[in-house]
Amino acid sequence: QVQLVESGGGLVQAGGSLRLSCAASGSIRWINIMNWYRQAPGKQREFVASITGGGITNYADSVKGRFTISRDNAKNTVYLQMDSLKPEDTAVYLCNADITNWSCSAYEYWGQGTQVTVSS
């Protein structure tokens, strides 16, 4: 079994910063791509950022230049540094990962999410 656990959310004023973490644990041979998504009340889940095992990153246009995704392969952890936060960034942020287990099977996993609230 594999678990993804997010942390680091909270309440911050506009212009502030937060750093989210997502730690994977369990039967993990290799974590392929790791992603952050977010879902605001009444809206569809949307892609925020991704990072491959080799460190190639991709960002949604709405967060480019403000958010930075990184990962620590030794700790099976992905981070999302969020700077210059705006009220429209308010959402539940969810970690997603494509993980290969020791049976060489790959599955997609989701975390439970962490709330980020940005006040104006």
Side-chain angles (χ1 to χ4, degrees), residues 67-115:
F67 291 9
T68 303
I69 190 170
S70 61
R71 65 190 277 175
D72 184 332
N73 290 330
K75 295 181 179 180
N76 289 333
T77 299
V78 64
Y79 306 97
L80 186 68
Q81 177 67 41
M82 305 185 295
D83 299 318
S84 302
L85 282 161
K86 304 175 181 180
E88 50 264 44
D89 294 318
T90 295
V92 174
Y93 283 71
L94 302 113
C95 177
N96 167 271
D98 183 77
I99 296 174
T100 299
N101 61 25
W102 288 102
S103 299
C104 295
S105 297
Y107 298 97
E108 182 183 31
Y109 295 91
W110 288 90
Q112 296 279 62
T114 185
Q115 177 69 46

Side-chain angles (χ1 to χ4, degrees), residues 4 25 39 54 75-76 78 97 99 117 119-120:
L4 299 180
S25 61
Q39 187 163 19
K75 295 181 179 180
N76 289 333
V78 64
I99 296 174
T117 304
S119 62
S120 57

